[in-house]
């Protein structure tokens, strides 16, 4: 019996008595409005009865009678205000069928002497009502009375409205207007609507006026266990093979949509299969291993059936089952194994690089993983590095490659030892990595001659005399170990410095060896030789010649044209002198600098560093060119006197101004040229005007007639003047006289202008004296203002070309 719930048993009829077994004819029990599952209604005393022959049954499926006579509920049951009745049937010891009437009364009612129920006075504010979800038909079913205090003095009727009545879900509840009895009209699902709240109103039957305030009615839907638990999440788990017993595999998750906090949603977990290997916690759903012998190579996955049951696992609980997959993860508990105990392979001597052997491997672990992938190591027999071994990524085989040719005369057989291991370390096993012998046999081949060494080094001083023997480089036949019949030739000798005796292999100097040649790299010169035997098989070797340096070069001054910038205040100028030597130490720097024996005493030189000296004049010298003899010697005192040219001048940015002006024109020079051009055009116009209006053009006494052919007009004015002047009868005017006169006037103006400018600005535009340029120089005089010697020599006019001669003839015919 549930605690704190009083139960009153009232015996209304005479007890049946069979010997000492007394069975009551009726039972009344006081119970709550909602009776939960497992609630004890009453207990029939059957201690003195034969329980096997009684065999109790009930007329109401919501109740059952246990063997000891206890009446309990097997479903949540509602007891209306007017009570509930059912019967218990049994068979007495005499074999007659009897029954017990059971009356259930709400604990809010009282029992009268006549056995009738009287309802306690209700208030207009009732507690929430409770109904059971999924109640079985027929409908409607009474829930409880809604009573207003105004009903004691008036004739009233009741109405209800709101969710479950006039709003969705419509029509679940109704009320008997005259009595106020609240009814449920259809099945209710708690999982969809766990509670209803609607409004009750009371009206005067005659005036239809409300006699009391509206009353909110709350109806709670009591849960019944009508939903089985369901699985959530994936039922696939992984655990490593050979895991210790008790290792967690994974967790099964489940849920139940019935009311929380009740046995309806209290789930228990169990395994229906695989219980010899795995265990599931009944409360948490965690699956664990029961053994440490799980072997992936024997069985890589297991299927186990999991049951979830509500009601805390009771037999009457609802349940579901599902299959969980447990995959065993691989560990490296199997080393790779060879399919054979040994291997033999034959290789020709001098055979080129290539694959010579495949070694198959077996491994039980998971393929394409570090537990399966095999690494191979040649542990023995490959001290000379003739072989390489690697793994075939597709087949996991070991591949042995020959990478250096084998020599039968040196090695006829090699015994290799090959180890196979995984990329991952072994785990969960006492096995070890395995190895296998590989026997390599070298097959003899007829080979060409071989030089005694692949390379040979000879040291030779540069400038060694021709025909000097520097060494011998010979080859032998690998089979006969003899040099007989072998000839020697050069394959490469870029500078042709060496000659080879084809019979003896002697190397001699053929041409002068120069260490400073571009054929020599870091003092080394290479010659490639070839040896040829009688069968025309060949072998090659390299002669390395280390060329020793000799002091065959003196230091030289590469730049002999130097500039000393004039300085103010009497300070002496200086210039840097740099020397270089093609030889190497100790035949090169540091250099020593001094003046040559023929110096004039106006210069001095001092050492600045290992390769440079500072030349300076010791007296004030005017601007101009000077030659200075310098003696430069290397570390061994080997050197010679060299002459440098020093120009002393005014400088700008380290360069002589005269050089700057000779290579570029200033603004004023450009303006002067434009002015001269304008004056020349003006002169041409004046001469044309003079020709048209004057009868004297080429000579004082009408040298040219007015009928001069118009073709003279279109020729250049200067050509016209020169031509006419040349062929006039009395030759009063020379063309050079006219030209010189014009130029002289311009020169005087230019010189006057230059006198107003700063010194040196137009140094190249004034008269200069120049050095003799040699006999027959086509350049003639240089400089726009140079002196014109031999002005009367007009032979150059004979070389002016046919166009000028045509002009001369025209003008001569018009004289």
């Amino acid at each position: 019996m549930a605690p704190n719930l009083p139960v009153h048993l009232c015996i209304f009829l005479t007890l049946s008595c069979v010997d000492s077994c007394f069975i009551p004819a009726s039972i009344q029990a006081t119970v709550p409005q909602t009776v939960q599952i497992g609630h004890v209604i009453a207990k029939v005393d059957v201690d003195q009865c034969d329980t096997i022959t009684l065999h109790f049954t009930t007329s109401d499926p919501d109740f059952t009678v246990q063997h000891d006579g206890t009446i309990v509920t097997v479903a949540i049951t509602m007891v209306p205000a007017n009570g509930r009745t059912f019967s218990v049937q049994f068979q007495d010891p005499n074999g007659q069928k009897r029954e017990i009437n059971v009356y259930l009364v709400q604990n809010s009612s009282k029992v009268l002497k006549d056995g009738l129920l009287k309802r306690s006075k209700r208030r207009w504010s009732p507690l929430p009502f409770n109904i059971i979800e999924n109640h079985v038909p027929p409908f409607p079913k009474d829930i409880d009375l809604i009573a207003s205090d105004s009903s004691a003095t008036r004739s009233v009727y009741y109405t209800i409205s709101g969710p479950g009545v006039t709003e969705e879900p419509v029509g679940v509840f109704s009320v008997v207007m005259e009595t106020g009895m609240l009814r449920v009209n259809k099945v209710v699902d708690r999982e969809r609507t766990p509670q209803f709240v609607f409004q009750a109103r009371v009206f005067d039957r005659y005036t239809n006026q409300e006699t009391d305030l509206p009353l909110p009615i709350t109806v709670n839907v009591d849960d019944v266990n009508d939903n089985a638990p369901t699985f959530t999440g994936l039922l696939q788990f992984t655990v490593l093979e050979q895991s210790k017993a008790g290792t967690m595999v994974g967790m099964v998750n489940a849920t139940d949509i019935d009311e929380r906090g009740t046995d309806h949603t209290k789930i228990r977990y169990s395994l229906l299969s695989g219980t010899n290997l795995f265990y599931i916690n009944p409360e948490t759903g965690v699956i664990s291993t029961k053994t440490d012998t799980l072997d992936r190579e024997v069985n890589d996955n297991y299927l186990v059936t999991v049951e979830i049951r509500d009601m805390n696992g009771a037999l009457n609980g609802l349940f579901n089952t599902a299959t969980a997959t447990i995959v065993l993860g691989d560990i490296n508990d199997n080393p790779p194994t060879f399919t054979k105990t040994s291997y033999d392979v034959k290789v020709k001597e001098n055979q080129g690089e290539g694959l010579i052997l495949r070694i198959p491997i077996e491994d039980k672990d998971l393929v394409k993983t570090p537990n399966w992938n095999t690494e191979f190591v040649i542990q023995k027999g490959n001290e000379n590095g003739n072989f390489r071994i690697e793994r075939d990524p597709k087949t996991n085989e070991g591949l042995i490659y020959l990478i250096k040719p084998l020599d039968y005369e040196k090695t006829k057989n090699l015994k290799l030892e090959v180890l196979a291991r995984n990329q991952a370390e072994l785990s969960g096993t006492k096995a070890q990595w395995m190895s296998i012998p590989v026997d390599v046999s070298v097959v003899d081949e007829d080979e060409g001659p071989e030089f005694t060494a692949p390379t040979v080094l000879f040291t030779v001083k540069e400038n060694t005399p021709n025909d000097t023997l520097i060494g011998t480089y010979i080859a032998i036949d690998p089979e006969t170990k003899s040099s007989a019949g072998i000839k020697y030739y050069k394959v490469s000798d870029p500078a042709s410095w060496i000659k080879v005796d084809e019979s003896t292999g002697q190397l001699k100097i053929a041409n002068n060896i120069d260490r400073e040649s571009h054929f020599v790299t870091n003092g080394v010169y290479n010659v490639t030789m070839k040896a040829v035997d009688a069968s025309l098989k060949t072998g090659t070797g390299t002669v390395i010649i280390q060329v020793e340096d000799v002091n065959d070069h003196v230091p030289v001054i590469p730049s002999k044209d130097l500039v000393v910038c004039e300085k103010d205040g009497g300070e002496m100028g200086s210039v840097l002198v740099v020397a270089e030597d093609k030889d190497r130490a100790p035949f090169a720097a540091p250099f020593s600098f001094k003046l040559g024996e023929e110096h004039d005493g106006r210069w001095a030189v001092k050492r600045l560093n290992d390769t440079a000296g500072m030349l300076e004049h010791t007296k004030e010298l005017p601007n101009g060119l000077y030659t200075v003899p310098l003696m430069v010697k290397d570390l061994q005192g080997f050197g010679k006197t060299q002459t440098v040219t020093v120009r002393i001048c005014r400088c700008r940015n380290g360069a002589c101004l005269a050089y700057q002006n000779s290579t570029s024109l200033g603004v004023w020079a450009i303006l002067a040229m434009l002015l001269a051009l304008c004056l020349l055009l003006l002169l041409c116009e004046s001469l044309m005007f003079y020709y048209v209006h004057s009868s004297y053009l080429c000579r004082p006494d009408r040298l040219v007639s007015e009928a001069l052919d118009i073709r003279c007009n279109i020729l250049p004015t200067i050509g016209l003047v020169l031509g006419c002047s040349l062929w006039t009868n009395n030759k009063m005017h020379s063309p050079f006289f006219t030209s010189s006169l014009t130029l002289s006037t311009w020169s005087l103006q230019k010189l006057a202008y230059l006198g107003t400018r700063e010194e040196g600005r137009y140094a190249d535009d004034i008269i200069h004296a120049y050095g003799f340029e040699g006999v027959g120089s086509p350049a003639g005089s240089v400089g726009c203002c140079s002196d014109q010697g031999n002005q009367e020599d007009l032979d150059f006019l004979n070389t002016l070309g046919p166009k000028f001669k045509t002009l001369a003839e025209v003008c001569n015919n018009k004289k």
Side-chain angles (χ1 to χ4, degrees), residues 182-405:
L182 181 64
R183 291 178 172 178
V184 58
N185 301 318
K186 59 179 68 174
V187 174
V188 178
D189 186 357
R190 189 203 67 86
E191 284 68 46
R192 296 184 60 183
T193 313
Q195 186 183 69
F196 294 88
V197 178
F198 49 87
Q199 194 175 61
R201 302 173 70 180
V202 57
F203 297 89
D204 187 288
R205 185 182 299 274
Y206 301 105
T207 64
N208 292 326
Q209 298 294 318
E210 287 191 72
T211 61
D212 210 334
L213 294 175
L215 173 68
I217 302 297
T218 300
V219 178
N220 294 321
V221 181
D222 291 335
D223 186 42
V224 297
N225 192 22
D226 58 340
N227 293 283
T230 57
F231 292 93
T232 60
L234 296 177
L235 291 177
Q236 184 157 345
F237 311 105
T238 300
V239 65
L240 291 178
E241 60 176 331
Q242 298 189 26
S243 293
K244 294 181 180 180
T247 301
M248 177 177 173
V249 175
M251 176 181 287
V252 177
N253 294 304
T255 186
D256 195 314
I257 63 174
D258 286 321
E259 187 172 3
R260 289 181 174 274
T262 67
D263 285 349
H264 300 167
T265 56
K266 191 171 184 180
I267 302 171
R268 290 185 72 85
Y269 303 83
S270 61
L271 291 181
L272 304 184
S273 65
T275 55
N276 59 324
L277 300 176
F278 304 99
Y279 163 80
I280 190 168
N281 187 303
E283 295 181 356
T284 64
V286 173
I287 299 177
S288 305
T289 60
K290 291 180 67 175
T291 177
D292 60 359
T293 60
L294 296 174
D295 190 347
R296 191 200 68 85
E297 287 71 41
V298 175
N299 191 356
D300 60 357
N301 70 84
Y302 294 90
L303 302 178
V304 297
T305 303
V306 182
E307 180 189 87
I308 50 176
R309 185 182 291 266
D310 59 18
M311 298 300 295
N312 201 21
L315 293 177
N316 62 343
L318 301 179
F319 64 92
N320 263 318
T321 61
T323 299
T325 302
I326 300 175
V327 178
L328 296 188
D330 187 39
I331 65 172
N332 194 19
D333 55 345
N334 295 282
T337 59
F338 296 97
T339 58
K340 296 176 63 176
T341 57
S342 65
Y343 287 91
D344 297 303
V345 62
K346 292 183 179 181
V347 178
K348 294 181 180 180
E349 69 170 330
N350 299 319
Q351 179 176 321
E353 294 186 17
L355 177 67
I356 62 172
L357 181 64
R358 281 181 173 268
I359 302 177
I361 284 293
E362 292 180 349
D363 196 315
K364 296 179 180 179
D365 289 315
L366 187 62
V367 298
K368 307 297 182 182
T369 68
N371 298 337
W372 180 82
N373 295 339
T374 304
E375 294 179 344
F376 298 88
V377 180
I378 301 177
Q379 291 184 304
K380 296 179 182 178
N382 193 33
E383 287 75 14
N384 293 328
N386 296 98
F387 306 97
R388 180 184 84 249
I389 190 167
E390 61 185 39
R391 166 182 169 267
D392 187 325
K394 293 182 179 179
T395 64
N396 208 29
E397 293 176 305
L399 308 178
I400 298 182
Y401 291 88
L402 179 69
I403 59 175
K404 289 173 60 177

Side-chain angles (χ1 to χ4, degrees), residues 684-701:
C684 292
E685 291 183 1
S686 299
L687 289 174
M688 293 297 295
F689 181 81
Y690 181 77
Y691 164 74
V692 175
H693 294 86
S694 175
S695 60
Y696 301 94
L697 178 63
C698 294
R699 59 182 182 180
D701 51 345

Side-chain angles (χ1 to χ4, degrees), residues 588-740:
F591 303 137
S592 63
F593 296 85
K594 69 176 182 178
L595 294 174
E597 294 181 356
E598 300 178 358
H599 71 90
D600 55 10
R602 295 184 294 180
W603 299 87
V605 63
K606 59 182 179 181
R607 182 176 178 273
L608 181 63
N609 54 38
D610 287 352
T611 60
M614 189 65 71
L615 178 65
E616 59 183 359
H617 54 90
T618 58
K619 300 178 181 180
E620 290 192 18
L621 298 176
N623 292 359
L625 292 175
Y626 299 87
T627 57
V628 180
L630 289 177
M631 169 65 78
V632 184
K633 296 182 180 180
D634 61 20
L635 184 60
Q636 306 300 325
F638 185 40
K640 68 177 182 179
T641 300
Q642 304 171 61
T643 300
V644 298
T645 301
V646 182
R647 178 185 294 273
I648 302 178
C649 62
R650 294 183 63 83
C651 298
R652 177 179 297 157
N653 299 327
C656 287
L657 286 174
Y659 285 178
Q660 290 181 334
N661 294 333
S662 66
T663 58
S664 61
L665 293 174
V667 176
W668 291 107
I670 296 174
L671 291 176
M673 292 176 65
L674 292 176
L675 178 60
L677 180 61
C678 293
L679 290 175
L680 182 61
L681 293 175
L682 181 60
L683 176 61
C684 292
E685 291 183 1
S686 299
L687 289 174
M688 293 297 295
F689 181 81
Y690 181 77
Y691 164 74
V692 175
H693 294 86
S694 175
S695 60
Y696 301 94
L697 178 63
C698 294
R699 59 182 182 180
D701 51 345
R702 198 177 180 182
L703 296 176
V704 182
S705 67
E706 295 181 0
L708 180 65
D709 191 85
I710 194 59
R711 286 175 291 180
C712 292
N713 296 337
I714 64 175
L715 297 176
T717 303
I718 294 178
L720 176 63
V721 174
L722 292 176
C724 293
S725 299
L726 180 61
W727 276 278
T728 53
N729 289 334
N730 42 10
K731 298 181 182 178
M732 292 183 62
H733 301 284
S734 169
F736 259 91
F737 175 77
T738 304
S739 174
S740 298

Side-chain angles (χ1 to χ4, degrees), residues 726 734-737 790-799:
L726 180 61
S734 169
F736 259 91
F737 175 77
N790 195 13
Q791 294 184 2
E792 295 299 322
D793 186 2
L794 302 179
D795 290 341
F796 76 96
L797 295 174
N798 295 326
T799 64

